[in-house]
Amino acid sequence: MTARKPSAAKKNEPPRAKTFALALGGGGARGLAHIAVIEALDELGLRPVAIAGTSIGAAVGAAYAAGMTGKAMRRYVTTLAHNRPDVWSRLMRARGAAFSQMFTTAFGNPMVLDAEKFSAAFLPPDLPENFTDLGIPLQIIAADLYGRDEVVFTDGPLRPAIAASMAVPGLLRPVEIDGRILVDGGAVNPLPFDRLRGTADIVIAVDASIGPVAPRGVPDPWETLFSTLQVMGHTIVTAKLKAGPPDLVLRPNVGVFRMLDFFQASAILRAAEPIKAELADKLGALLANAA
């Protein structure tokens, strides 16, 4: 039997362009470094075919999937950070309860923020209401507090999903969706690259979760809580990386900043600037090798 020769059309077809997917992890204010990665992709003229995000990574990922450029995100967050009175006003409106209700409601602590009000106050106003209106498929990770497992949102209302993913215990009130009580996705999947396997040829994960590592004495209760959450998240990510790492892990050098250093947005983005060259070199090599 004679082997069939490939058709001329197939033989002359250009090779298929390789694709990549992007996972954006948590880290509080340090997660603003994700914006530098998006700026780099914009400069390279590259876009992922899928995105997965946890906590602040969910918010940045949603803005990116909606078509917002890295430069537009930078302008948005730095403008906010440079207007402290406006930020404090938005925070006051996002409180879970008024001071007058402090001792009369189940969530009466006036310092605890309502996650959905918080998201409404700080997310870009042009963000669509539904996942179906996004230009890139997006997965948002939250944690089911009583089900003790991971919840992945891929459709339906977008803003409540982001709010749930960002509901940091002790800071933001849990979000109830479809009868489930949801908290920060970092409790179960701080860097959700595993959710992107099979969606693209290459999976990139951006890990901005590592916080201050130098001893600073005994921290206050808030810092202790956030640092403990960070230790837990780091343990989960380390185990996931050992089990099966993504093709590329990027770690912006923003560890000097604390979880709530949002007023340091400009400094965080300056510190993250070198990640652009690293991304260009390493992703370029991966795309070339994969071709």
Side-chain angles (χ1 to χ4, degrees), residues 3 5 16 19 40 50 58 63 67 78 86 89 107 153 158 168 238 271 287:
K5 293 182 180 180
R16 179 181 66 86
T19 60
T78 54
D86 181 44
S89 175
F107 293 105
F153 291 96
L158 178 62
V168 179
T238 300
L287 291 172

Side-chain angles (χ1 to χ4, degrees), residues 111-200:
M111 302 311 295
V112 173
L113 303 174
D114 182 293
E116 294 185 80
K117 289 181 182 178
F118 178 84
S119 296
F122 288 100
L123 288 174
D126 294 334
L127 205 64
E129 295 298 326
N130 201 286
F131 277 83
T132 56
D133 297 319
L134 298 173
I136 303 173
L138 172 68
Q139 300 182 53
I140 289 179
I141 314 302
D144 186 330
L145 186 62
Y146 297 120
R148 297 185 296 279
D149 59 5
E150 185 173 342
V151 177
V152 183
F153 291 96
T154 59
D155 56 22
L158 178 62
R159 291 171 181 267
I162 297 172
S165 186
M166 295 177 65
V168 179
L171 180 64
L172 295 170
R173 192 166 73 182
V175 175
E176 183 175 358
I177 299 177
D178 295 333
R180 293 178 297 191
I181 306 301
L182 305 176
V183 296
D184 192 307
V188 286
N189 198 344
L191 190 61
F193 58 84
D194 54 311
R195 288 290 170 181
L196 296 172
R197 290 196 177 102
T199 64

